[in-house]
Amino acid sequence: MTGDKLIEVKNLKKYYNKGSLHALDDVSVNINKGDVMVVIGPSGSGKSTLLRSLNLLEVPTEGSIWFHGVDITKKKYKDETGAVVKVNIDTHREKMGMVFQHFNLFPHKTILDNMILAPMKVKKMSKQDATEKAMSLLKRVGLEDRADAYPIQLSGGQKQRIAIVRALMMDPEVMLFDEPTSALDPEMVGEVLEVMKELATEGMTMVVVTHEMGFAREVGNRVVFMADGKILEEAAPEKLFDHPCHPRLQDFLSKVL
Amino acid sequence: MLSIEGFQKTLKYWTMFEEGLVCTVMLSLFTVLFGFILAMIIALMRMSKSHILKGVSSVYVEVFRATPLMVQLFIVYHVLLADIDLPTFKMFGFIRFERFIPGVIALSLNSAAYLSEIIRSGIQSIDLGQTEASRSLGMSQWQTMQHVVLPQAIKNILPAIANEFVTIIKESSICWTIGVQEIMSAVNSVKAATFTIAEALIIAACVYFCLTFPTSKIIAYFERRMSRGDRR
């Protein structure tokens, strides 16, 4: 499973304020199938920007992102026959599930409607099929009895578990997590990490921006340390946490561990 | 002053008020319909990335908010449509189409300027995270607008929209000046025929109130229904 390149990020740069702020400064990284890549670093280091660039919620200033052999940062490309094909970002986003710090469930829809909306509108799934699928996913995270509740009626941990299964409804090839536990009360962090861990065990490709070092060490197979918009160190978790090389990483770990 | 005889005299012309009422309702309904569609287009134009669309829509809103409705109405009737022969049939047998349509056009153009700003603020009040979540699920910009942003935005701006609808009903009275036979025109006819106006004005006020009050109540009902997601 592991090894095939899924996403290739090449020389990605993101500048704000006409170039005075370098959120991403020449970042290159590959994400392979089955990877659980955890991105750590101090706030403002560009880790969220990198994650959000992967599905173009953030449009990079320079560089390219290759997904399924297509540079999704370009508006169009030439296929093997030389014909010009438009890049439709929606079809790529469909394959990249995303989970946000603040859940971003749709407050005007029930949990079930939150989950079946995109499959019905984008994949043209029938309501019945979508509902069946949603119910089995809800069962997996132990929330099948909340299908008809509205998001506001759920706890933070429950909301985030719903956000994860909502993304899973689209059968993504990779899941992007943007600080999924940072907005949660401490006692709810565990239930969300548990679901993520289960996903990782099933072989889902994941990119996780987090401050949960325990999760990074236990579940990640690669850990990337970012600071000032650059990737300063990348290694397997044991190596990165036990034998950090870069002084910035040593400093960071001494503060968070 | 008001007197029983005055009311008796005035109420002989009740059919005129009735027809005026129907005419006011039709004016308002058409205005709400066209005004809302136009407002939606203008709001989306103002939020687009194109400088031209942004510029055109901004000028539109500023011009229509900064000039009196009566001037706009007269420009539509006496200038824009002066040389255009509108069909001269009567709707329901008493609403003169060639007067009615300029009224609807002027009111729609005017209310669209106000409604578009309400709609724009409603759309912009929705957290960007909602759009991001929707787009990250693969939904297009339009699908996101339709299923995620607009339903929430409209819920938020419903009180302001209700206000605008009530305003339209009241302001439609100005169409009397171009000869649309709505409620105020009935008052004028009664005055001409009986030389009394006080009782006719009181009746007109009552008729307007009976229109606007239920309208705001009906919208308040929908507001409650749509806020189901807000309650624990």
Side-chain angles (χ1 to χ4, degrees):
Chain A
M1 270 300 269
T2 315
D4 295 348
K5 250 181 245 169
L6 188 61
I7 305 176
E8 211 175 340
V9 177
K10 285 184 189 164
N11 306 100
L12 208 63
K13 294 176 188 170
K14 173 75 183 178
Y15 300 158
Y16 289 111
N17 296 339
K18 294 176 182 155
S20 62
L21 184 74
H22 294 197
L24 289 179
D25 199 357
D26 207 2
V27 170
S28 299
V29 68
N30 292 335
I31 296 148
N32 302 319
K33 256 202 187 116
D35 263 355
V36 177
M37 188 173 102
V38 182
V39 185
I40 60 170
S43 62
S45 59
K47 47 195 195 315
S48 277
T49 311
L50 172 63
L51 190 80
R52 289 160 55 82
S53 297
L54 294 179
N55 65 355
L56 291 199
L57 286 184
E58 225 48 87
V59 181
T61 318
E62 261 180 62
S64 54
I65 299 163
W66 295 80
F67 183 60
H68 285 280
V70 177
D71 179 1
I72 58 173
T73 60
K74 301 284 181 298
K75 289 225 158 51
K76 43 190 133 185
Y77 68 96
K78 280 194 178 149
D79 68 4
E80 310 87 56
T81 59
V84 176
V85 186
K86 268 197 171 174
V87 175
N88 183 355
I89 187 59
D90 294 337
T91 58
H92 295 296
R93 281 180 174 149
E94 206 185 309
K95 296 172 193 144
M96 300 185 184
M98 181 139 188
V99 176
F100 300 84
Q101 181 176 358
H102 295 287
F103 330 125
N104 296 350
L105 297 179
F106 308 135
H108 61 302
K109 291 190 176 293
T110 61
I111 298 309
L112 184 64
D113 288 339
N114 261 277
M115 295 176 69
I116 65 177
L117 177 65
M120 281 169 61
K121 298 299 168 192
V122 179
K123 293 199 154 177
K124 309 292 174 209
M125 210 185 238
S126 75
K127 186 167 186 175
Q128 198 189 345
D129 291 350
T131 306
E132 262 171 41
K133 184 168 185 182
M135 289 314 291
S136 78
L137 276 169
L138 281 174
K139 206 170 261 167
R140 249 182 72 179
V141 292
L143 290 169
E144 68 268 35
D145 56 329
R146 305 316 306 272
D148 294 321
Y150 283 91
I152 198 164
Q153 297 166 314
L154 305 185
S155 72
Q158 291 175 327
K159 279 186 204 167
Q160 198 59 300
R161 284 187 279 160
I162 296 297
I164 294 172
V165 288
R166 180 177 71 175
L168 290 177
M169 284 293 288
M170 299 302 286
D171 294 319
E173 293 171 23
V174 53
M175 286 284 283
L176 313 175
F177 292 86
D178 189 2
E179 303 201 20
T181 57
S182 298
L184 295 178
D185 291 336
E187 78 269 22
M188 291 169 183
V189 170
E191 62 190 71
V192 171
L193 292 182
E194 201 50 48
V195 174
M196 291 167 62
K197 201 169 135 186
E198 225 181 277
L199 265 182
T201 327
E202 285 163 21
M204 173 64 79
T205 311
M206 292 161 64
V207 183
V208 186
V209 171
T210 188
H211 294 293
E212 295 293 330
M213 297 302 150
F215 177 84
R217 184 190 279 265
E218 189 187 350
V219 184
N221 71 326
R222 298 163 67 189
V223 181
V224 168
F225 173 70
M226 285 186 77
D228 302 329
K230 295 186 186 69
I231 294 182
L232 295 185
E233 192 158 341
E234 201 220 300
E238 306 79 38
K239 178 165 181 315
L240 189 127
F241 284 113
D242 298 335
H243 307 285
C245 298
H246 201 284
R248 286 291 296 272
L249 175 58
Q250 291 166 356
D251 178 55
F252 176 73
L253 290 178
S254 74
K255 280 174 188 155
V256 297
L257 288 183
Chain B
M1 281 308 285
L2 298 176
S3 67
I4 303 283
E5 295 79 50
F7 276 109
Q8 281 170 341
K9 251 199 289 184
T10 305
L11 283 175
K12 279 193 200 138
Y13 298 89
W14 174 246
T15 27
M16 301 195 74
F17 284 99
E18 253 177 40
E19 290 177 2
L21 171 70
V22 174
C23 188
T24 294
V25 169
M26 295 309 290
L27 263 180
S28 309
L29 284 182
F30 276 94
T31 301
V32 163
L33 180 67
F34 293 132
F36 196 80
I37 294 168
L38 188 57
M40 197 67 100
I41 295 167
I42 294 165
L44 294 176
M45 278 169 73
R46 276 202 99 168
M47 290 183 298
S48 80
K49 285 184 194 123
S50 149
H51 290 291
I52 301 168
L53 292 181
K54 247 189 208 167
V56 169
S57 52
S58 304
V59 168
Y60 179 94
V61 170
E62 294 308 332
V63 166
F64 275 90
R65 290 203 302 185
T67 52
L69 174 58
M70 194 186 277
V71 175
Q72 294 164 13
L73 178 67
F74 278 19
I75 289 177
V76 168
Y77 183 67
H78 293 296
V79 182
L80 291 181
L81 298 178
D83 300 323
I84 297 170
D85 285 321
L86 291 168
T88 54
F89 68 94
K90 286 184 176 166
M91 298 159 73
F92 304 111
F94 54 86
I95 300 174
R96 292 169 65 182
F97 187 76
E98 78 279 13
R99 303 287 170 101
F100 179 79
I101 282 303
V104 168
I105 291 174
L107 284 171
S108 304
L109 291 174
N110 179 274
S111 70
Y114 290 92
L115 274 174
S116 72
E117 284 297 278
I118 297 173
I119 293 170
R120 184 174 70 116
S121 72
I123 289 174
Q124 288 176 340
S125 73
I126 302 304
D127 181 26
L128 202 59
Q130 292 288 310
T131 304
E132 289 183 345
S134 175
R135 297 302 302 271
S136 79
L137 287 165
M139 293 214 283
S140 69
Q141 195 176 357
W142 174 239
Q143 286 173 327
T144 299
M145 194 46 97
Q146 196 188 348
H147 300 292
V148 177
V149 178
L150 271 186
Q152 297 184 60
I154 293 198
K155 188 196 85 191
N156 287 357
I157 60 179
L158 221 45
I161 292 183
N163 238 332
E164 184 57 26
F165 285 179
V166 168
T167 306
I168 290 170
I169 294 175
K170 291 187 291 180
E171 287 195 335
S172 70
S173 64
I174 208 169
C175 293
W176 160 67
T177 55
I178 59 165
V180 180
Q181 282 156 311
E182 43 72 75
I183 299 172
M184 272 316 283
S185 138
V187 173
N188 206 44
S189 305
V190 170
K191 186 187 113 189
T194 65
F195 301 106
T196 59
I197 191 167
E199 293 81 0
L201 283 171
I202 298 292
I203 292 170
C206 292
V207 175
Y208 275 115
F209 182 81
C210 292
L211 269 180
T212 51
F213 189 68
T215 304
S216 46
K217 286 291 157 211
I218 290 168
I219 296 180
Y221 166 75
F222 280 109
E223 210 184 315
R224 277 198 303 279
R225 262 191 52 164
M226 285 177 85
S227 60
R228 278 178 302 193
D230 300 342
R231 265 170 288 149
R232 279 171 188 275

